[in-house]
């Protein structure tokens, strides 16, 4: 974002540009449906989401595709944006997480 888009601050020079990044996350409960999972992925690409978090994903699709999922495959995370830098990830019973240089994102499943 440029300075003009953000507004001006009194202590900053007029020609200085400030860039802020944002991570877009799409989250939903898929109820194990393969077609619902495909639809959510399509929606994520259309809205330029960086990360998808799915509760109750389709187990077959998650294990065959590049997803990070919990021990019981009840919640999964996929990084859609290839430019997103992931520095860590992990999982346990009912949760999965990924770490970027600035934030840790958790997906949890409680039933």
């Amino acid at each position: 974002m440029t300075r003009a888009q953000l507004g001006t601050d009194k202590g900053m020079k007029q020609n200085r540009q400030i860039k802020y990044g944002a991570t877009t996350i799409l989250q939903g409960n898929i109820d194990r449906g393969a077609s619902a999972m495909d639809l959510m992925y399509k929606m994520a690409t259309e809205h330029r989401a960086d990360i998808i978090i799915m509760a109750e994903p389709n187990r077959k699709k998650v294990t065959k595709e590049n997803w990070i999922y919990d021990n019981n495959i009840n919640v999964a995370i996929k990084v859609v944006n290839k430019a997103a830098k992931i520095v860590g990830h992990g999982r346990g019973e009912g949760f999965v997480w990924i770490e970027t240089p600035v934030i840790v994102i958790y997906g949890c499943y409680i039933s």
Side-chain angles (χ1 to χ4, degrees), residues 6-20:
L6 294 172
T8 59
D9 293 327
K10 291 180 181 178
M12 303 182 88
K13 295 180 181 179
Q14 290 294 331
N15 63 353
R16 183 176 173 190
Q17 288 188 353
I18 304 170
K19 294 185 180 179
Y20 292 92

Side-chain angles (χ1 to χ4, degrees), residues 1 14 17 23 27 42 49 54 59 64-65 68 72:
M1 231 178 238
Q14 290 294 331
Q17 288 188 353
T23 301
Q27 186 275 331
K42 182 179 184 239
M54 288 188 190
R59 288 184 167 128
K64 288 185 177 180
E65 298 174 5
I68 302 166
N72 298 319

Side-chain angles (χ1 to χ4, degrees), residues 1 19-25 48-51 81 84 100 102-103 105:
M1 231 178 238
K19 294 185 180 179
Y20 292 92
T23 301
T24 304
I25 302 169
R48 298 182 184 176
D50 300 303
I51 297 166
N81 183 347
T100 73
V102 295
I103 192 170
I105 301 165

Side-chain angles (χ1 to χ4, degrees), residues 7-107:
T8 59
D9 293 327
K10 291 180 181 178
M12 303 182 88
K13 295 180 181 179
Q14 290 294 331
N15 63 353
R16 183 176 173 190
Q17 288 188 353
I18 304 170
K19 294 185 180 179
Y20 292 92
T23 301
T24 304
I25 302 169
L26 182 63
Q27 186 275 331
N29 186 316
I30 302 305
D31 199 29
R32 310 274 181 224
S35 58
M37 199 164 163
D38 292 340
L39 184 61
M40 189 167 174
Y41 188 83
K42 182 179 184 239
M43 185 186 300
T45 56
E46 287 173 357
H47 292 278
R48 298 182 184 176
D50 300 303
I51 297 166
I52 302 172
I53 303 173
M54 288 188 190
E56 298 183 353
N58 180 277
R59 288 184 167 128
K60 193 174 195 179
K61 289 182 77 66
V62 166
T63 56
K64 288 185 177 180
E65 298 174 5
N66 193 23
W67 288 82
I68 302 166
Y69 49 88
D70 77 312
N71 293 344
N72 298 319
I73 316 175
N74 286 324
V75 63
I77 297 178
K78 182 171 184 135
V79 179
V80 181
N81 183 347
K82 292 178 177 45
K85 184 175 181 179
I86 304 302
V87 296
H89 63 85
R91 64 181 166 189
E93 296 291 325
F95 72 94
V96 62
W97 60 271
I98 60 171
E99 181 179 5
T100 73
V102 295
I103 192 170
V104 178
I105 301 165
Y106 280 84

